[in-house]
Amino acid sequence: NVIQVASGGSFRVFNITAGTVIIDELTIQNGQPSDNGAGIRFLGTELTINSSVLTGNTADGAGGALYIGAGGIRPVTITNS
């Protein structure tokens, strides 16, 4: 079973600003911020997304499903998603 997390509109679902994060078997949906990164805005160190779905996310800026912030290298790994 996959857990679903939704913003309900007008907000992003996840705002990751630091650290190493692993997202596993999660549905991230319906984010809609007025800037970048509707599903996930990632400014952390390393991000891994496994067996997950990002759907229905719309940003007014860049990155509907996933926005990877500027400034340095931020490794992102996506598998089975």
Side-chain angles (χ1 to χ4, degrees):
N1 294 335
V2 175
I3 296 172
Q4 296 183 356
V5 180
S7 80
S10 300
F11 303 99
R12 81 177 39 86
V13 181
F14 287 110
N15 187 33
I16 301 168
T17 60
T20 298
V21 175
I22 298 172
I23 295 173
D24 192 38
E25 295 187 6
L26 191 65
T27 296
I28 300 169
Q29 63 188 22
N30 302 330
Q32 192 174 11
S34 60
D35 57 1
N36 302 324
I40 301 170
R41 185 174 81 162
F42 177 63
L43 307 173
T45 306
E46 186 173 351
L47 175 63
T48 301
I49 301 172
N50 297 314
S51 303
S52 297
V53 176
L54 286 86
T55 184
N57 297 291
T58 306
D60 288 348
L66 173 62
Y67 173 78
I68 302 168
I73 297 173
R74 294 178 178 18
V76 175
T77 303
I78 301 173
T79 56
N80 299 321
S81 298

